[in-house]
Amino acid sequence: ITSFAIARDDGREILISSDANGRWFNRLTDPDVRGGVGRFITYDENDRVVGDEVRKTDYDARKRPWFLAAAAMPKDDDIHWTAAYRFVSSGEPGLSAVVRWTAPDGHRYAITSDVWLREITNFTQQVRFTNSGLVAILTDAGEALGLPRDPGWTSETVRKALLKPVDALGVGPLTASYRAWQDRGRPSNEIIQVQEGGNLWFASFHAAHPAGQTFWIATLAPSADFGWVGS
């Protein structure tokens, strides 16, 4: 979790978020009372306040995907995972887990816990189930939520590649496997064989369904990573 926020139905919100260096900041907004401005508090590595200022902002939590998702939930106390979107505070693409409740004062509140897709990629790039195996996480539409391991990725190229379709990632084995999987009717957990770059690859796509959504976990490995056992 890289940030979380709590907001109520009149738009008042408090955000707590980290930056790329692990430092924290707060954003406090109340558009119906202090429209057009917000209070921003920043902290150093030792959690000491090093900045406290009022800045212009048109931010309104009630217009954000996570709050709209909370408002549309059929009942309080459900948990909803949003589709991927870009966070205003960081510009990073990510997902939010949202819960909602009604307080004794009659106001309806929502709280979101945010996960950057960059953090999901940090996980998928560390998974090693064979020497050269790859793991990716995709939306149901085939957009990248977690990128596979590749020595050519940099921090900036990872940021740009997230939420792009498989064909735009430039990862040959994943592209070939995804197309073959599509042609076979998108089976779950079936082993698919494809030729890519002169190598035979095995691939499988496993469906996951967090809070009613469908994500696909793709696992791939070249045949050279496996040995034959005779009897």
Side-chain angles (χ1 to χ4, degrees):
I1 295 175
T2 52
S3 62
F4 66 92
I6 182 171
R8 69 183 186 187
D9 50 17
D10 62 0
R12 188 177 185 183
E13 186 213 55
I14 299 173
L15 168 77
I16 300 175
S17 182
S18 62
D19 64 17
N21 298 313
R23 293 173 298 205
W24 293 90
F25 73 90
N26 298 137
R27 182 189 64 219
L28 293 81
T29 52
D30 194 352
D32 285 355
V33 176
R34 303 184 67 194
V37 299
R39 182 183 175 191
F40 294 79
I41 306 170
T42 55
Y43 303 83
D44 65 13
E45 295 83 353
N46 297 312
D47 296 330
R48 294 174 300 198
V49 174
V50 293
D52 190 342
E53 59 183 328
V54 173
R55 303 180 202 162
K56 291 184 178 180
T57 178
D58 60 358
Y59 181 85
D60 187 332
R62 295 167 295 186
K63 299 178 181 179
R64 299 301 298 155
W66 64 272
F67 195 90
L68 293 172
M73 289 163 57
K75 64 181 187 299
D76 285 359
D77 302 323
D78 280 349
I79 299 175
H80 177 82
W81 279 94
T82 68
Y85 66 101
R86 291 193 179 272
F87 302 133
V88 170
S89 58
S90 63
E92 290 280 346
L95 304 165
S96 296
V98 185
V99 296
R100 185 192 76 197
W101 70 95
T102 302
D105 62 7
H107 281 291
R108 179 167 286 179
Y109 290 78
I111 187 168
T112 175
S113 300
D114 303 326
V115 180
W116 287 2
L117 298 190
R118 185 191 298 269
E119 298 298 330
I120 297 177
T121 290
N122 288 343
F123 171 75
T124 55
Q125 291 184 342
Q126 292 174 17
V127 175
R128 289 183 178 271
F129 60 97
T130 70
N131 289 338
S132 304
L134 303 175
V135 174
I137 301 178
L138 310 172
T139 68
D140 198 39
E143 299 162 328
L145 298 176
L147 298 171
R149 186 173 61 253
D150 188 298
W153 293 122
T154 66
S155 178
E156 185 59 27
T157 57
V158 163
R159 181 187 176 105
K160 291 180 179 179
L162 288 168
L163 290 183
K164 284 190 175 180
V166 167
D167 287 352
L169 301 179
V171 182
L174 179 59
T175 300
S177 299
Y178 183 78
R179 290 174 178 172
W181 174 67
Q182 292 274 71
D183 291 342
R184 293 179 68 87
R186 297 160 57 98
S188 186
N189 297 327
E190 180 178 316
I191 302 298
I192 297 170
Q193 300 181 40
V194 296
Q195 291 285 342
E196 171 60 29
N199 297 310
L200 175 66
W201 285 76
F202 300 113
S204 179
F205 293 79
H206 171 75
H209 303 285
Q213 297 192 65
T214 299
F215 298 153
W216 292 93
I217 302 171
T219 55
L220 306 85
S223 60
D225 281 3
F226 302 92
W228 294 101
V229 178
S231 59

